[in-house]
Amino acid sequence: MCFIGLAFVYDMRFARLPNKLTMFGVLAGLLFHAVNEGWSGLVVAIIGALTGFLVVLILYLLGGLGAGDVKLFAAIGAMMGVLFVLQTLMYAILCAGFIGLIILLWKSQMKVTSHKLVRWLFTIVVQHNLETLVEIKDQKNIKFPFMYAVVPGVAITWYYSLL
């Protein structure tokens, strides 16, 4: 998918996803489905865009992703539909977890980070203290561009959709 490749290159070079690119993706998806499938295609593209946008917006509000990622998933949803965007997000999150694990092992921070994670989960689940979510968001974390995980997420989704 050329759009994902272009987004990857731009994000790696400038550490951001421009609105022009993501909005072009959304509009291209809407237009493609409207022209090829009529009103029903347009509705499917709108639902796909809203699904991608709203689900990733939650991750953005929790501090996990950037605003460009939210708009990127709206574009993926508009182009490919609800099922594809949700599967891509699932695979991208799994890939991001794997990448994060490798980074933690490489930087020898696995023990410290796992202790923090256990403490946060205990506080949230057992003590029902949701204020811990703010603490997690404000924490200085190891970060990497989410596009490192989106590209394999799209590739895996594409592969399994062809089977």
Side-chain angles (χ1 to χ4, degrees), residues 19-124:
N19 289 337
K20 288 180 183 179
L21 177 64
T22 54
M23 290 303 107
F24 171 78
V26 170
L27 293 175
L30 295 175
L31 184 62
F32 174 81
H33 288 287
V35 167
N36 288 307
E37 302 159 24
W39 287 109
S40 63
L42 180 62
V43 169
V44 166
I46 290 170
I47 293 171
L50 286 173
T51 300
F53 182 85
L54 293 173
V55 172
V56 180
L57 179 64
I58 294 167
L59 298 174
Y60 167 75
L61 293 173
L62 292 173
L65 299 175
D69 298 316
V70 175
K71 295 173 277 188
L72 175 71
F73 274 85
I76 293 171
M79 287 189 254
M80 303 302 292
V82 171
L83 186 58
F84 191 94
V85 76
L86 290 175
Q87 288 175 337
T88 296
L89 181 59
M90 178 191 67
Y91 288 126
I93 289 171
L94 289 172
C95 290
F98 182 71
I99 292 167
L101 184 63
I102 290 170
I103 291 171
L104 288 174
L105 289 171
W106 181 48
K107 293 188 174 223
S108 301
Q109 294 183 338
M110 188 64 142
K111 187 175 180 181
V112 173
T113 303
S114 61
H115 285 285
K116 283 183 189 178
L117 182 61
V118 168
R119 184 174 41 89
W120 288 332
L121 288 174
F122 178 81
T123 305
I124 293 168

Side-chain angles (χ1 to χ4, degrees), residues 110-145:
M110 188 64 142
K111 187 175 180 181
V112 173
T113 303
S114 61
H115 285 285
K116 283 183 189 178
L117 182 61
V118 168
R119 184 174 41 89
W120 288 332
L121 288 174
F122 178 81
T123 305
I124 293 168
V125 176
V126 176
Q127 297 177 341
H128 305 291
N129 183 355
L130 296 179
E131 292 174 10
T132 303
L133 292 173
V134 175
E135 180 185 334
I136 293 171
K137 184 177 178 180
D138 294 338
Q139 209 38 234
K140 183 181 177 190
N141 296 312
I142 296 172
K143 296 185 179 188
F144 60 90

